Amino acid sequence: MRNHRLPSLENRKTSVALTDTDDTRLGRAIGPRASAYPALSGIHALRDPRDAFAARVLLARAAERSLDVQYYIWRDDLTGTLLFDALLSAANRGVRVRLLLDDNNTSGLDATLAALDSHANIEVRLFNPFVNRRLRLLGYATDFGRLNRRMHNKSFTADNQVSIVGGRNVGDEYFGATHGVLFADLDVLAVGPVVRDVSRAFDEYWASASSYPVDRILSGVTPARALEIASKARHIESSPDALEYVRAVRESSLVRALTEGTLDLDWAATRMVCDDPAKGLGLAAPESLVYRRLKEVLGEPRSRLDLVSPYFVPTSAGVGWFTDLARRGVEVTILTNSLEATDVSAVHAGYAKRRRPLLTEGIRLYELKREASDGGASRSRGAGGSSGASLHAKTFSIDRARAFVGSFNFDPRSASLNTEMGFVIESQALAGEIDETFQTSIPDSSYALRLSEGGEMSWVERRGAESVRHDREPGTGVVRRAWVSLLSSLPIEWLL
């Protein structure tokens, strides 16, 4: 800890995304395919968590010029350590690495981040950092207006040629490598013109007034500390829990198929939407915010809206919008977490009080079961299985024609406080697949909410050929339900 005030950003090093990367291995592989679709971007969905992990590691290995990496959460665990090591290995080959992390979840990582930053080819910055590294709650008490605003963006870009954007942070629960709860999530790998848009957005965040070089926040370490990262990664790789993930990287054909020009890509008009980083200080113009731009880019649904949001807090305004759609004949279906599956009970409280009016208007609600059989969550449960599933994907489709994949939750925090990003993809294939999931696997992995003529709410689950009805939030105890009921009555919706 240097002091109790944020340091000056004067004379901060400037850098921008490298654009002369067409002659890299990735550039040479992608260029011929992209030139055949000059106005479109190639999209490949990353549904399986191990594939999503392998794609990041292998892109880091394939990069020859640059890696620009931006995340809200990066865990100091199995997958987090292996990905840190992948960035370090790339830097050792001469690749320029820029790592931008939101500082809300970096507790325990200071020495690692300082060690990475000490490498000549790596620069690390923290978004809206805590000056007091030990007593972060004290920071909230003294600087709540700033620290309550977080960078929720997630992107991984190699050589300004390939980007991965979506809902996954970096950590075992996002890549199926945990014995605990696994997050059901979705990313897309993209090539083509939208990658340059991601790089421009990264540059804006990198140069924003909220991004601080770690050497101005953290105490320095010797470059030798970087060797400890590699040593820790080698130790993890030899552990039984890591065998599946080492094998997934070794056996993954995704990046090889990409470089050989055989990866299945959906060539579609794709637009990136991203908040102005000034939102991190509460200074962004309202018209620049993602939720405003989404309405413009997506247009009004005509027949169907399928929405997946793990932290769904529609507020009264959102209920009004969904109600208007339903009354115009649009079929609205929403999947979110059940109380037993959510990792944030307070957010569930903000959603729970809005269920009844949504159901009254004929809007279909599904809540993911903790013990989801699959439900799109994952084909992998990790080496030792998982104690349950929790929804984390943020996606929706409109009229089986357009789809959104990104970091945006349908809640007040995403709308007004946190910065967000994602892709709007004009793909009937992807949008249709989301819609098809609602017709097939989601009913088997979720509770369908019902409202009786007398206004009583129930949760109906499928168990094979049978249907089981629950009259209370399934899988929860009286204490947790009472806690959620109390939170629902408090005026905290704007924080959720």
Side-chain angles (χ1 to χ4, degrees), residues 67-120:
L67 288 168
D68 288 336
V69 181
Q70 178 180 22
Y71 281 98
Y72 173 60
I73 293 173
W74 194 302
R75 302 289 190 208
D76 186 23
D77 55 15
L78 185 156
T79 55
T81 299
L82 293 181
L83 278 168
F84 274 140
D85 183 57
L87 298 185
L88 182 60
S89 296
N92 288 337
R93 298 195 314 271
V95 175
R96 187 194 73 177
V97 178
R98 296 189 296 175
L99 176 61
L100 176 59
L101 297 180
D102 183 87
D103 197 34
N104 196 46
N105 296 282
T106 60
S107 181
L109 283 176
D110 283 5
T112 298
L113 297 178
L116 288 169
D117 189 67
S118 69
H119 194 290

Side-chain angles (χ1 to χ4, degrees), residues 240-357:
D241 284 346
L243 292 180
E244 278 195 54
Y245 293 86
V246 174
R247 184 163 54 246
V249 172
R250 184 174 63 248
E251 297 178 354
S252 175
S253 61
L254 190 146
V255 172
R256 183 173 66 252
L258 178 65
T259 56
E260 292 176 353
T262 60
L263 182 67
D264 183 26
L265 295 172
D266 182 5
W267 292 94
T270 304
R271 290 183 62 178
M272 185 200 71
V273 289
C274 185
D275 280 318
D276 182 335
K279 187 180 181 184
L281 295 174
L283 300 175
E287 61 271 15
S288 73
L289 301 182
V290 161
Y291 86 97
R292 293 279 188 93
R293 296 184 60 204
L294 276 176
K295 291 182 178 180
E296 298 172 6
V297 173
L298 288 166
E300 285 291 337
R302 296 177 180 271
S303 59
R304 292 191 62 84
L305 171 62
D306 297 310
L307 173 68
V308 179
S309 180
Y311 310 118
F312 179 62
V313 185
T315 73
S316 60
V319 170
W321 183 64
F322 289 121
T323 295
D324 180 61
L325 291 177
R327 290 178 179 177
R328 288 194 280 113
V330 177
E331 187 174 335
V332 180
T333 309
I334 298 167
L335 172 67
T336 190
N337 276 312
S338 62
L339 178 55
E340 70 174 0
T342 188
D343 61 323
V344 187
S345 295
V347 170
H348 189 84
Y351 151 70
K353 64 184 179 182
R354 305 296 181 185
R355 289 183 296 208
R356 199 175 302 275

Side-chain angles (χ1 to χ4, degrees), residues 8-83:
S8 168
L9 291 177
E10 187 177 359
N11 298 322
R12 178 180 56 175
K13 181 181 176 181
T14 61
S15 62
V16 295
L18 303 181
T19 58
D20 56 339
T21 60
D22 290 344
D23 62 343
T24 62
R25 177 187 176 195
L26 291 171
R28 291 191 301 272
I30 293 164
R33 297 185 72 181
S35 64
Y37 305 93
L40 306 178
S41 294
I43 301 296
H44 181 89
L46 297 171
R47 301 174 186 85
D48 183 89
R50 283 181 296 184
D51 286 346
F53 170 74
R56 288 164 169 84
V57 172
L58 292 171
L59 283 178
R61 292 180 181 177
E64 295 178 352
R65 298 290 308 284
S66 66
L67 288 168
D68 288 336
V69 181
Q70 178 180 22
Y71 281 98
Y72 173 60
I73 293 173
W74 194 302
R75 302 289 190 208
D76 186 23
D77 55 15
L78 185 156
T79 55
T81 299
L82 293 181
L83 278 168

